[in-house]
Amino acid sequence: MQRHSTPPAGPRGRGSTRTALDGPRASHRGGIQKRRGGPVKTDKDGDLNMDAGAAGSGAARGRATRGRGDAPKHTNGEAGRGRTAMNTGAPRGLFSGAALQKAIARGMAAGDATVRGPRAGVSVEGALGEAAGRGRADAEITVRGLKESKAAANPDGGLKDLVAFLERKASGTESSARDAVKIKKSYQKNDRVIVYVTREDAPKILRLNTFTFAGAPLAIEMRHESAVAQTAKAVAPSEDAVATRQKLTDVLKRRYNPELKLLDLSALGKDPDLVGLGTFAKESTTSKFFPALMAICDSLFTDDQQKRDAVVSVSLADNELQTVKNVTTLAQTFPDLKNLDLSNNKFETMGALSPWRWKFRSLHHLVLSGNPIEKVDSKYKDDLLRWYPILQLLNTVQVRTEEEITSRGKLPLPVSGPSFRDEGQIAENFVKQFFPAYDSDRNALVSGFYDTDSVFSYNINTSAPRAPPQQGQGPNAGEEAKAPTWENYIKGSRNLMKINHLSARISRVHVGQESIRQRWTSLPATRHPSLLEEGRKWLIECHSVPALADPSGQSPAGVGGLMVMVHGEFDEMNVATGEKTATRSFDRTFILGPGGATGIRVLSDILTYRAYGGHEAWVPEEVEPPVAAAPAAQAAAPVPTAAQLQAPDGFGVALEGKPAEQLGREQMMLEMSSRTRMTLQYSQMCLEEKGWEFDAAFAAFEAVKTNLPPDAFVP
């Protein structure tokens, strides 16, 4: 925004005029001060610098003398005459070529000799900032509740702790340092705290309304915007910014090869159009240049898929890059690059490339030839292979084959099918009823399967592997690349790796129907895949659990139950619109026992949420993933059911009066039959022959299984 005050009485002195491209100057941290007479100065974005010192002060004269002042009419012979000459030394930006243009002086508009005061517009630096979409006024937010909190007794009144709390909670557990919410300014006024954040971060802070800080609830609301902020929002981009954006757009179009799908950004420091803009005149403009270029590039595409199809390769060769610090935004703009050329730069160590570590997950070919790192670091190739899992070519030389890439994800032991040892289809019927009811009527579900002793808790696993959406394998493909946040879950999460206080751990365990019902009501609505139609998206295992507490009190030794472990995915739903807002994965473990209104009660229910990770991990390696899973294919087909084994009632289950030795042998027989598909009779014979040593019995079966008669196996 440009503010115009009353022009000074006389013309500006030629010798002390400064521009946004001048050298170091005094800090502007002192707030708004009254303007004194003297030269008009601008800040780095071309706006009026309203705390500049008086022109008559010795310090001001000293700074003007030491700075690289503009040279309105001469740049040669008078270069040594002090404050009016431009420094002739070529600044070395990160994209600087052999020789760069000198800094661009602003000056007055041609033919407008009577104008006094600053010219309307912005500097190259400011134009780049605007081209990148920056410069909007910050949001002003009011926070109440600090005075009532325990932190108010701190020496600073708790302000520092409150700011840290707001930043941490607003950022969430998965935000990177780049995406973390930062409070730019804060101060306390009576019972309120005023904080300033970017407008993009404001909704994240506002969502913390009613959160508890140091024992006191917070009241957070947007403060009424000042006239200055409203005016700043309404200001349209300056003519300089529009012109700069158009020139950068032309540069991008000229450097794009549609046949090769290549964006050639090599030797940018020697590009005449960019040099003519003064882009590399100093480091502050250089640092803004590439983010602005990527922002413009991003705006040229309607969606991520169009961008993936249009740009497969990017070249940043011959740019004298010593680090990727100023070009990191390439990874955000083109995360799915397959070919990247970084040749003939000045990278010496892997640290220079570390901002791109684990980025470009689809990178196939990387060129680093002509960089010092080839001679300095003998292990850089090994590091690159770890960073980029499907990299096949390095400097045009094959470093990994397709077979090696395919085998990288395989475990030392083959992936087997699930182990589902149900009893009378109890677990099967429970799972079929539970998840549709959880999606549609949680209140009825609590009443049907939970009682006063039932226990429920949930946690968020933020370190679980994610499915890469850029490969188009997950339901998040085509959506925004940024992962969904956990703000609706984090408040009740009982992740014992994150929560250390005993009181917090206890408070997040919900016992009894009412407590569980209240917690379920606070969790977002869900939609799980159909068990019958999309069985491949589920992994369900079941095992017997002995000696559970008998709710009737009739069996002091306890009763038998089941442990059911369910792994799958769900869509998080917006109730108002009926639309999906995110897709997540989950793991849920139930302990089931007899009792309750339905004959089955849930003793324990532990739910783990995690980022969407796909379902390919549990597909047995010897079986191709089915195109459409049949209902029977979802349960582990090789495992015989209790009916097929013709097991008597109560077999393998802890019952009153049953000796522990007998129970153990029955369970060993069931385990042997589930692994071998032998009948219970043959499993018993095999175990008895080896003295009930399970491993020895199984080894004996493997040795003679081809000689066993057909009636030894379950049909």
Side-chain angles (χ1 to χ4, degrees):
M1 187 187 78
Q2 195 79 28
R3 292 189 59 176
H4 295 275
S5 301
T6 304
R12 292 175 292 176
R14 184 186 67 178
S16 57
T17 301
R18 294 172 59 84
T19 72
L21 293 177
D22 284 340
R25 55 180 177 270
S27 174
H28 299 156
R29 299 178 182 269
I32 296 176
Q33 299 179 9
K34 182 178 179 181
R35 268 187 61 199
R36 302 175 176 88
V40 176
K41 295 187 179 183
T42 56
D43 62 15
K44 65 179 182 179
D45 284 326
D47 296 330
L48 195 62
N49 181 1
M50 301 196 332
D51 68 343
S57 68
R61 286 195 302 269
R63 287 193 301 271
T65 301
R66 290 190 298 270
R68 299 193 298 268
D70 293 343
K73 296 182 181 179
H74 49 267
T75 56
N76 299 322
E78 295 182 333
R81 295 175 61 179
R83 58 181 179 270
T84 62
M86 182 180 295
N87 190 335
T88 57
R92 295 188 57 82
L94 291 180
F95 290 93
S96 57
L100 294 175
Q101 291 284 339
K102 299 175 183 179
I104 298 176
R106 190 196 311 277
M108 294 190 298
D112 196 6
T114 60
V115 174
R116 300 184 179 96
R119 179 177 74 86
V122 294
S123 63
V124 173
E125 187 175 9
L128 287 173
E130 287 190 49
R134 300 175 183 158
R136 294 197 298 167
D138 293 332
E140 190 175 347
I141 296 176
T142 300
V143 183
R144 290 183 173 86
L146 175 60
K147 276 199 168 183
E148 292 76 17
S149 70
K150 299 175 183 177
N154 295 349
D156 67 339
L159 179 59
K160 182 178 179 181
D161 291 334
L162 175 62
V163 168
F165 174 83
L166 295 174
E167 290 180 337
R168 184 174 68 255
K169 293 296 184 181
S171 298
T173 57
E174 294 197 338
S175 295
S176 63
R178 179 183 179 86
D179 297 329
V181 174
K182 297 294 183 184
I183 293 177
K184 295 185 173 183
K185 180 182 176 183
S186 62
Y187 66 90
Q188 190 168 358
K189 185 176 181 181
N190 299 326
D191 63 337
R192 298 169 296 165
V193 173
I194 312 299
V195 299
Y196 296 85
V197 296
T198 63
R199 294 195 170 274
E200 290 77 9
D201 289 341
K204 299 178 183 178
I205 296 289
L206 293 173
R207 281 194 288 263
L208 303 182
N209 186 37
T210 72
F211 270 47
T212 301
F213 167 70
L218 299 177
I220 304 176
E221 60 184 359
M222 184 76 79
R223 201 176 185 208
H224 293 299
E225 296 179 316
S226 65
V228 173
Q230 292 174 353
T231 304
K233 279 203 305 178
V235 170
S238 66
E239 294 181 4
D240 285 357
V242 173
T244 300
R245 183 182 181 89
Q246 184 57 50
K247 289 180 180 179
L248 293 180
T249 302
D250 294 340
V251 169
L252 286 169
K253 291 180 177 179
R254 172 167 52 81
R255 286 173 166 266
Y256 175 63
N257 186 329
E259 295 180 358
L260 300 177
K261 297 184 178 181
L262 166 67
L263 182 59
D264 185 2
L265 302 180
S266 62
L268 292 173
K270 299 178 183 179
D271 190 298
D273 292 340
L274 297 177
V275 173
L277 277 173
T279 305
F280 311 115
K282 65 176 185 176
E283 188 167 349
S284 58
T285 53
T286 301
S287 64
K288 285 187 176 183
F289 160 68
F290 201 83
L293 193 68
M294 290 296 99
I296 294 170
C297 197
D298 211 19
S299 68
L300 299 177
F301 301 98
T302 57
D303 54 45
D304 290 342
Q305 187 59 47
Q306 185 187 46
K307 189 163 53 177
R308 279 192 288 268
D309 295 338
V311 180
V312 174
S313 308
V314 169
S315 174
L316 283 172
D318 300 297
N319 278 310
E320 298 191 14
L321 290 166
Q322 297 180 3
T323 172
V324 297
K325 174 184 176 182
N326 276 24
V327 294
T328 53
T329 47
L330 180 70
Q332 283 81 51
T333 307
F334 297 107
D336 309 314
L337 278 182
K338 293 185 178 180
N339 307 299
L340 178 59
D341 184 2
L342 298 176
S343 61
N344 300 321
N345 283 293
K346 296 184 177 180
F347 301 121
E348 294 186 359
T349 65
M350 290 300 295
L353 302 171
S354 61
W356 282 345
R357 185 180 186 183
W358 311 124
K359 307 295 184 182
F360 303 120
R361 307 304 287 170
S362 301
L363 194 63
H364 173 88
H365 187 187
L366 176 63
V367 180
L368 274 172
S369 57
N371 283 277
I373 193 172
E374 292 183 293
K375 298 179 180 179
V376 174
D377 190 346
S378 60
K379 297 182 178 180
Y380 83 99
K381 294 181 181 179
D382 298 332
D383 292 333
L384 290 173
L385 289 174
R386 284 194 295 269
W387 289 9
Y388 305 115
I390 64 172
L391 185 69
Q392 293 187 45
L393 297 173
L394 179 60
N395 300 335
T396 71
V397 178
Q398 187 173 36
V399 292
R400 188 186 280 143
T401 64
E402 287 279 2
E403 292 73 18
E404 289 174 326
I405 294 174
T406 304
S407 63
R408 274 179 62 86
K410 293 187 177 181
L411 298 174
L413 298 176
V415 178
S416 302
S419 175
F420 195 83
R421 294 188 293 237
D422 198 357
E423 182 68 31
Q425 296 183 309
I426 293 175
E428 179 182 346
N429 293 330
F430 169 77
V431 171
K432 286 181 177 178
Q433 296 178 49
F434 183 90
F435 288 98
Y438 187 82
D439 294 340
S440 59
D441 192 351
R442 295 178 184 176
N443 184 52
L445 184 61
V446 171
S447 302
F449 288 108
Y450 295 75
D451 61 16
T452 55
D453 296 321
S454 298
V455 178
F456 168 77
S457 66
Y458 75 88
N459 62 83
I460 301 170
N461 181 1
T462 58
S463 59
R466 303 170 181 267
Q470 65 267 23
Q471 296 183 9
Q473 296 178 351
N476 287 336
E479 299 175 2
E480 294 183 5
K482 189 174 181 181
T485 63
W486 295 102
E487 59 193 44
N488 294 323
Y489 302 85
I490 195 68
K491 194 172 183 179
S493 172
R494 191 174 183 264
N495 187 332
L496 300 183
M497 300 296 292
K498 306 285 186 181
I499 300 176
N500 299 317
H501 296 290
L502 180 61
S503 59
R505 290 182 171 186
I506 294 175
S507 66
R508 300 184 186 201
V509 176
H510 306 281
V511 181
Q513 288 183 339
E514 284 308 311
S515 179
I516 295 173
R517 182 179 287 111
Q518 291 178 10
R519 174 49 65 190
W520 281 9
T521 302
S522 70
L523 295 172
T526 57
R527 182 181 63 196
H528 291 78
S530 169
L531 277 163
L532 298 179
E533 298 176 2
E534 299 180 277
R536 68 188 184 280
K537 294 184 177 181
W538 297 81
L539 176 67
I540 306 173
E541 296 188 299
C542 177
H543 300 274
S544 60
V545 179
L548 296 177
D550 183 4
S552 65
Q554 298 178 1
S555 177
V559 295
L562 296 171
M563 175 186 290
V564 182
M565 292 159 286
V566 184
H567 312 275
E569 64 189 63
F570 66 90
D571 291 337
E572 184 179 303
M573 306 300 294
N574 185 323
V575 178
T577 63
E579 295 180 352
K580 178 183 75 171
T581 58
T583 298
R584 306 182 191 273
S585 292
F586 75 92
D587 310 290
R588 199 159 190 167
T589 302
F590 304 93
I591 302 295
L592 306 180
T598 60
I600 302 174
R601 68 187 185 107
V602 177
L603 282 73
S604 173
D605 178 3
I606 301 176
L607 171 60
T608 297
Y609 293 105
R610 50 189 172 86
Y612 177 74
H615 53 270
E616 292 78 11
W618 53 68
V619 176
E621 291 186 19
E622 64 274 10
V623 180
E624 291 294 329
V627 176
Q634 170 234 328
V639 180
T641 64
Q644 289 176 312
L645 292 173
Q646 299 180 351
D649 292 340
F651 191 83
V653 179
L655 299 175
E656 184 177 3
K658 180 183 289 187
E661 182 181 5
Q662 179 185 347
L663 175 62
R665 291 185 174 183
E666 289 177 356
Q667 291 179 346
M668 289 176 67
M669 291 166 62
L670 288 171
E671 178 70 17
M672 180 63 72
S673 294
S674 68
R675 291 197 186 186
T676 64
R677 293 190 62 82
M678 287 194 301
T679 63
L680 288 176
Q681 179 183 1
Y682 271 84
S683 293
Q684 181 178 1
M685 292 168 54
C686 185
L687 288 164
E688 286 178 342
E689 184 178 331
K690 296 299 179 181
W692 293 97
E693 291 289 338
F694 187 88
D695 292 339
F698 186 78
F701 164 78
E702 288 290 327
V704 301
K705 63 182 178 181
T706 57
N707 299 324
L708 294 175
D711 60 354
F713 299 94
V714 175

